[in-house]
Amino acid sequence: MLRTRQRVGHDILLARHGRSIASMRLDRPSNSVVAVLDDGTVDRAPNLIAADLALPAGRTGLTSEDCKVLGIMSAACAGLGALMVGSVLAMVQFGEQLGLTEAAQYLSVY
């Protein structure tokens, strides 16, 4: 079951009004959550804990540290993949001399 992401504004409005909330929606232009209460009044709460809180600039939500870690992990996986492909090609190249082709033929018997 998929659940929507809980925002700070949801928590603030739930703490203020509890069960008297009829519906809630996200107001993206103002970055706040708007709640319609049972009596018809409307209340809104911001999604920021602090006004000077540094948020990621991009749409992806990744910070520069996240990009560095993802880059390092991608490079490590690419390097490991290249090493594995190189070892397979080396086995094909030198397999005849080392007798690996005969061993591979006998492996299918088991």
Side-chain angles (χ1 to χ4, degrees):
M1 178 165 111
L2 295 175
R3 296 180 62 183
T4 59
R5 187 172 138 194
Q6 190 75 13
R7 302 194 184 269
V8 177
H10 287 119
D11 292 337
I12 294 170
L13 289 171
L14 284 172
R16 284 184 196 162
H17 303 290
R19 292 182 182 224
S20 64
I21 297 174
S23 66
M24 280 196 277
R25 69 174 174 84
L26 178 64
D27 185 19
R28 289 190 188 274
S30 66
N31 194 20
S32 62
V33 177
V34 179
V36 178
L37 304 177
D38 289 337
D39 59 357
T41 59
V42 176
D43 190 13
R44 74 175 49 231
N47 279 325
L48 295 176
I49 296 173
D52 58 349
L53 183 65
L55 295 175
R59 294 189 71 206
T60 60
L62 296 176
T63 61
S64 61
E65 291 87 18
D66 294 337
C67 291
K68 287 179 188 176
V69 170
L70 286 173
I72 290 170
M73 295 301 292
S74 298
C77 288
L80 182 62
L83 181 68
M84 293 173 72
V85 167
S87 64
V88 167
L89 291 176
M91 288 176 69
V92 168
Q93 181 71 26
F94 301 112
E96 192 69 38
Q97 298 167 357
L98 300 175
L100 293 177
T101 55
E102 290 85 11
Q105 288 174 351
Y106 292 127
L107 187 64
S108 64
V109 174
Y110 295 111

